[in-house]
Amino acid sequence: MTTETTPLLVIDDVVAEYRTGSRVVRALDGVGLTVGRGERVGIVGESGSGKSTLGLLTGRLLPKATTYPRGRVLIDGESVLDLPPDRIARLRRERLAFVPQDPVGALDPTLRIGRQLRLALRDTQADLVALLERVLIRDPERVLRLYPHEISGGMAQRVVVAMAMARRPALLIADEPTAALDSQVREEVLRLLFTLAAEHGTTVLWLSHDLSGVARWCERIAVMYGGRVVEDGATADVLTAPQHPYTAALSAADPARAKDGTRLLTIGGIPPVLTEDTPGCVFSPRCTSADDTCATTRPMPRTVAGRTVLCHHPGEKPVPVPNRPVPNRPVPNGPVPGGQEEVR
Ligand SMILES: Nc1ncnc2c1ncn2[C@@H]1O[C@H](COP(=O)(O)OP(=O)(O)OP(=O)(O)O)[C@@H](O)[C@H]1O
Ligand code: SF4
Ligand SMILES: [Mg+2]
């Protein structure tokens, strides 16, 4: 039975592997995350850490050939990976919404905006003008008559946010929703998204490279590396006093968070591409605090300084090797993986 105290989302020790012919990529490697109602959680990590895979997993939207050797996903207590097709379709329709990185790609190029909104809302009476006004679109009557290629990227993203939020979803997955936008429009879209979410009590998972944005909009942050959440806690705590060496390195390498005149740390090495069980900590080849235990024993979640950390030596700082100046450019944004489709 679901109660108000049942977490909205439980991801418990999930392993997810993409299979293409004989090639296996383990994108999630025992990931765990529990999210309560109305929480705003920023999921951060380098490209390839598994953020998009985690987002798609929550709606069982990964490619058909994906396998799940372990783990479970519960939304309101319902086991997402086991639901029959009609129930998963209903769950997606009634409880979940996705805002992708590419808003224009998310809209049907052959349909006018108004028609798409009607179809998405399944409500012939909905006041579409009011809906677009709510996301600060001026001249909404005109926009409703346009095709997606006739509006700007910023406006398309506002339309997609309106479409996602109009159904008042319990859970919104926003995957780099502002990556393609300039900084002013990005801020506007984020403000809209999080304001509407707060009004509707919607839980938000924001998959992002933007640590500063997460610090502004999310009270909680989950840091992913190698298909696991390696540090999870209150945003302010995690970013100001990271306990996992990877979080510390990520934060120190973030151009937007560097103070004027300081130099940035580079995280040496490259993120792993996993294919099977690895014995030790997958960050060990890049970690300046690694020892023999790290190479042989997989760290398990433990509570340190009020947050969950997967590390044998929490609190260790990365060795500072400043080797690049603070660049005067925006935070880099990674691509979303191609080829995902709803097939289950
Ligand atoms: N459709 C796919 N088929 C095979 N491998 C994939 C597919 N999508 C992602 N991967 C691989 O799974 C791993 C996790 O990728 P994912 O896209 O989830 O990471 P991400 O954190 O979202 O990265 P980014 O920040 O670049 O968006 C990577 O090794 C990636 O190459
Ligand atoms: S477990 Fe060891 S290698 Fe992994 S992050 Fe912690 S100190 Fe570094
Ligand atoms: Mg991604």
Side-chain angles (χ1 to χ4, degrees):
M1 192 181 73
T2 306
T3 68
E4 277 303 298
T5 54
T6 307
L8 177 68
L9 171 68
V10 177
I11 298 175
D12 179 20
D13 194 26
V14 172
V15 172
E17 295 177 337
Y18 291 108
R19 288 174 181 267
T20 324
S22 59
R23 188 164 177 265
V24 176
V25 173
R26 180 173 287 202
L28 299 176
D29 189 28
V31 71
L33 186 72
T34 297
V35 183
R37 282 154 222 283
E39 274 197 288
R40 293 161 301 175
V41 186
I43 314 272
V44 301
E46 283 168 294
S47 204
S49 56
K51 303 181 296 296
S52 294
T53 306
L54 181 82
L56 293 165
L57 170 80
T58 58
R60 208 169 87 193
L61 288 164
L62 292 165
K64 195 172 188 174
T66 311
T67 54
Y68 306 95
R70 257 199 348 253
R72 58 188 189 140
V73 180
L74 305 177
I75 293 183
D76 271 335
E78 289 198 284
S79 179
V80 169
L81 299 179
D82 302 317
L83 286 177
D86 59 328
R87 297 263 306 279
I88 187 76
R90 201 167 98 198
L91 182 105
R92 289 182 196 130
R93 199 168 58 238
E94 294 179 354
R95 321 235 57 208
L96 303 182
F98 289 82
V99 176
Q101 176 175 349
D102 170 18
V104 177
L107 295 168
D108 185 332
T110 66
L111 296 179
R112 293 178 200 272
I113 301 296
R115 175 97 181 107
Q116 301 201 42
L117 284 170
R118 284 256 175 262
L119 288 173
L121 267 54
R122 297 162 180 258
D123 178 357
T124 52
Q125 303 304 313
D127 183 347
L128 300 186
V129 169
L131 188 64
L132 291 193
E133 281 172 345
R134 189 68 191 82
V135 292
L136 306 180
I137 289 181
R138 290 178 206 94
D139 201 1
E141 287 91 350
R142 189 179 70 85
V143 172
L144 288 171
R145 291 194 299 272
L146 298 177
Y147 287 93
H149 72 270
E150 296 176 303
I151 61 177
S152 67
M155 194 176 286
Q157 195 57 291
R158 271 175 255 204
V159 169
V160 172
V161 168
M163 210 182 253
M165 297 308 290
R167 291 183 292 112
R168 300 178 175 244
L171 177 61
L172 174 73
I173 317 285
D175 193 348
E176 297 280 4
T178 54
L181 307 178
D182 68 48
S183 58
Q184 193 187 337
V185 181
R186 180 188 311 156
E187 198 53 32
E188 272 175 29
V189 170
L190 288 174
R191 179 168 292 112
L192 273 171
L193 195 146
F194 282 102
T195 304
L196 291 172
E199 282 174 15
H200 301 169
T202 296
T203 300
V204 183
L205 291 192
W206 178 21
L207 320 180
S208 181
H209 286 257
D210 178 2
L211 291 188
S212 304
V214 167
R216 263 199 307 287
W217 294 107
C218 300
E219 68 267 19
R220 184 172 156 201
I221 188 167
V223 180
M224 288 193 73
Y225 188 81
R228 300 180 92 187
V229 171
V230 296
E231 183 160 3
D232 174 6
T235 306
D237 296 346
V238 171
L239 292 183
T240 53
Q243 292 297 314
H244 195 285
Y246 176 65
T247 314
L250 194 67
S251 188
D254 178 17
R257 290 171 49 78
K259 295 186 181 68
D260 286 349
T262 59
R263 293 173 77 82
L264 290 174
L265 205 69
T266 300
I267 311 178
I270 54 168
V273 176
L274 306 176
T275 55
E276 57 189 7
D277 280 336
T278 37
C281 170
V282 291
F283 188 54
S284 59
R286 304 174 73 190
C287 182
T288 52
S289 307
D291 63 9
D292 290 349
T293 309
C294 302
T296 54
T297 311
R298 187 176 164 94
M300 298 312 285
R302 56 158 111 172
T303 304
V304 182
R307 83 280 314 245
T308 307
V309 184
L310 270 67
C311 176
H312 295 303
H313 309 295
E316 297 279 337
K317 300 278 179 290
V319 175
V321 189
N323 57 3
R324 64 185 166 118
V326 179
N328 183 22
R329 57 183 162 78
V331 186
N333 285 301
V336 290
Q340 275 92 352
E341 52 188 333
E342 189 216 305
V343 279
R344 281 166 184 266

Coordinates of all heavy atoms in Angstrom, one line a residue, residues 18 20 23 25 27 45-54 63 176 209 273 334-340, ligand 1:
Y18 N 23.7 -2.0 -21.9 CA 23.3 -1.9 -23.3 C 24.0 -3.0 -24.1 O 25.2 -3.2 -23.9 CB 23.8 -0.5 -23.9 CG 23.1 0.7 -23.4 CD1 23.8 1.6 -22.5 CD2 21.9 1.0 -23.7 CE1 23.2 2.7 -22.0 CE2 21.2 2.2 -23.2 CZ 21.9 3.0 -22.4 OH 21.4 4.2 -21.9
T20 N 24.7 -4.5 -27.9 CA 24.6 -4.3 -29.4 C 25.5 -5.5 -29.9 O 26.7 -5.4 -29.9 CB 25.2 -3.0 -29.8 OG1 24.9 -2.0 -28.8 CG2 24.7 -2.6 -31.2
R23 N 28.7 -6.7 -28.2 CA 29.2 -5.6 -27.4 C 28.3 -5.3 -26.2 O 27.1 -5.2 -26.4 CB 29.4 -4.3 -28.3 CG 30.1 -3.2 -27.6 CD 30.6 -2.2 -28.6 NE 31.2 -1.1 -27.9 CZ 30.6 0.0 -27.5 NH1 29.3 0.2 -27.9 NH2 31.2 1.0 -26.8
V25 N 27.8 -2.7 -22.9 CA 28.2 -1.5 -22.1 C 27.4 -1.4 -20.9 O 26.2 -1.4 -20.9 CB 28.1 -0.2 -22.9 CG1 28.4 1.0 -22.0 CG2 29.0 -0.2 -24.2
A27 N 26.1 0.6 -18.3 CA 25.9 2.0 -18.1 C 25.5 2.3 -16.6 O 25.8 3.4 -16.1 CB 24.8 2.6 -19.0
G45 N 27.7 14.7 -13.1 CA 28.8 13.8 -13.4 C 29.2 14.0 -14.8 O 28.5 14.6 -15.6
E46 N 30.5 13.6 -15.1 CA 31.0 13.8 -16.4 C 30.2 13.0 -17.4 O 29.4 12.1 -17.1 CB 32.5 13.2 -16.4 CG 33.5 14.0 -15.8 CD 34.8 13.2 -15.6 OE1 34.8 12.3 -14.8 OE2 35.8 13.6 -16.3
S47 N 30.5 13.3 -18.7 CA 29.9 12.7 -19.8 C 30.1 11.1 -19.7 O 31.3 10.7 -19.4 CB 30.5 13.2 -21.1 OG 29.6 13.0 -22.1
G48 N 29.1 10.4 -19.9 CA 29.2 8.9 -19.8 C 29.1 8.3 -18.4 O 29.2 7.1 -18.2
S49 N 28.8 9.2 -17.4 CA 28.6 8.6 -16.0 C 27.3 7.9 -15.8 O 27.2 7.2 -14.8 CB 28.8 9.8 -15.0 OG 27.9 10.8 -15.3
G50 N 26.4 8.1 -16.7 CA 25.1 7.3 -16.6 C 23.9 8.1 -16.3 O 22.8 7.5 -16.0
K51 N 24.0 9.4 -16.4 CA 22.9 10.3 -16.0 C 21.6 10.0 -16.9 O 20.5 9.8 -16.4 CB 23.3 11.8 -16.1 CG 24.5 12.1 -15.3 CD 24.8 13.6 -15.4 CE 25.2 14.1 -16.8 NZ 26.5 13.5 -17.3
S52 N 21.8 10.1 -18.2 CA 20.7 9.9 -19.1 C 20.1 8.5 -19.0 O 18.9 8.3 -19.0 CB 21.1 10.2 -20.5 OG 21.4 11.5 -20.7
T53 N 21.0 7.5 -18.8 CA 20.5 6.2 -18.7 C 19.6 6.0 -17.4 O 18.6 5.4 -17.4 CB 21.7 5.2 -18.6 OG1 22.5 5.4 -19.7 CG2 21.2 3.7 -18.6
L54 N 20.1 6.7 -16.3 CA 19.3 6.7 -15.1 C 17.9 7.3 -15.3 O 16.9 6.8 -14.9 CB 20.0 7.4 -14.0 CG 19.4 7.5 -12.6 CD1 19.6 6.2 -11.9 CD2 19.8 8.7 -11.8
P63 N 16.6 1.3 -24.6 CA 16.3 0.4 -25.8 C 16.0 -1.0 -25.4 O 16.4 -1.5 -24.3 CB 17.7 0.4 -26.5 CG 18.3 1.7 -26.1 CD 17.9 1.9 -24.7
E176 N 19.4 17.8 -19.2 CA 20.1 18.9 -19.8 C 19.1 19.8 -20.6 O 19.3 20.2 -21.7 CB 21.2 18.4 -20.8 CG 22.2 17.6 -20.2 CD 23.3 18.5 -19.5 OE1 23.2 19.7 -19.5 OE2 24.3 17.9 -19.0
H209 N 25.2 19.1 -16.2 CA 26.7 19.4 -16.1 C 26.9 20.7 -15.3 O 28.0 21.1 -15.1 CB 27.4 19.5 -17.4 CG 27.5 18.2 -18.2 ND1 28.7 17.6 -18.2 CD2 26.7 17.5 -18.8 CE1 28.6 16.5 -18.9 NE2 27.3 16.4 -19.3
V273 N 34.6 2.9 -19.3 CA 33.5 2.3 -20.0 C 33.5 0.9 -19.4 O 34.4 0.1 -19.6 CB 33.7 2.3 -21.5 CG1 32.6 1.5 -22.2 CG2 33.8 3.7 -22.1
G334 N 27.3 18.2 -22.1 CA 27.5 17.0 -22.9 C 26.3 16.6 -23.7 O 25.2 17.1 -23.5
P335 N 26.5 15.8 -24.8 CA 25.4 15.4 -25.6 C 24.5 14.4 -24.9 O 25.0 13.7 -24.0 CB 26.1 14.8 -26.8 CG 27.4 14.2 -26.2 CD 27.8 15.2 -25.1
V336 N 23.3 14.3 -25.3 CA 22.5 13.2 -24.8 C 22.7 12.0 -25.7 O 23.0 12.2 -26.9 CB 20.9 13.5 -24.8 CG1 20.6 14.5 -23.7 CG2 20.5 13.9 -26.1
P337 N 22.7 10.8 -25.2 CA 23.0 9.6 -26.1 C 21.9 9.5 -27.1 O 20.7 9.7 -26.8 CB 23.0 8.5 -25.1 CG 22.1 8.9 -24.0 CD 22.3 10.4 -23.9
G338 N 22.2 9.1 -28.3 CA 21.2 8.9 -29.3 C 20.6 7.5 -29.2 O 21.1 6.6 -28.5
G339 N 19.6 7.3 -29.9 CA 19.1 5.9 -30.1 C 18.1 5.4 -29.1 O 17.6 4.4 -29.2
Q340 N 17.9 6.2 -28.0 CA 16.9 5.7 -27.0 C 15.5 5.8 -27.6 O 15.2 6.8 -28.2 CB 17.0 6.5 -25.7 CG 18.1 6.0 -24.8 CD 19.3 6.7 -25.0 OE1 19.5 7.5 -25.9 NE2 20.3 6.4 -24.2
Ligands
LIG1 N1 22.1 3.6 -26.7 C1 23.3 3.3 -26.2 N2 23.9 2.1 -26.7 C2 25.1 1.8 -26.2 N3 25.8 2.4 -25.2 C3 25.2 3.6 -24.7 C4 23.9 4.0 -25.2 N4 23.6 5.2 -24.6 C5 24.6 5.4 -23.7 N5 25.6 4.5 -23.8 C6 26.8 4.3 -23.0 O1 26.4 4.2 -21.6 C7 27.2 4.9 -20.8 C8 26.4 6.0 -20.0 O2 25.9 6.9 -20.9 P1 24.9 8.1 -20.6 O3 24.5 8.7 -21.8 O4 23.8 7.5 -19.7 O5 25.8 9.1 -19.8 P2 25.5 10.6 -19.4 O6 26.0 10.8 -18.0 O7 24.1 11.0 -19.7 O8 26.5 11.4 -20.4 P3 26.3 12.9 -21.0 O9 26.7 13.8 -19.9 O10 27.3 12.9 -22.2 O11 24.9 13.1 -21.5 C9 28.3 5.6 -21.7 O12 29.4 4.7 -21.7 C10 27.6 5.6 -23.0 O13 28.6 5.6 -24.1

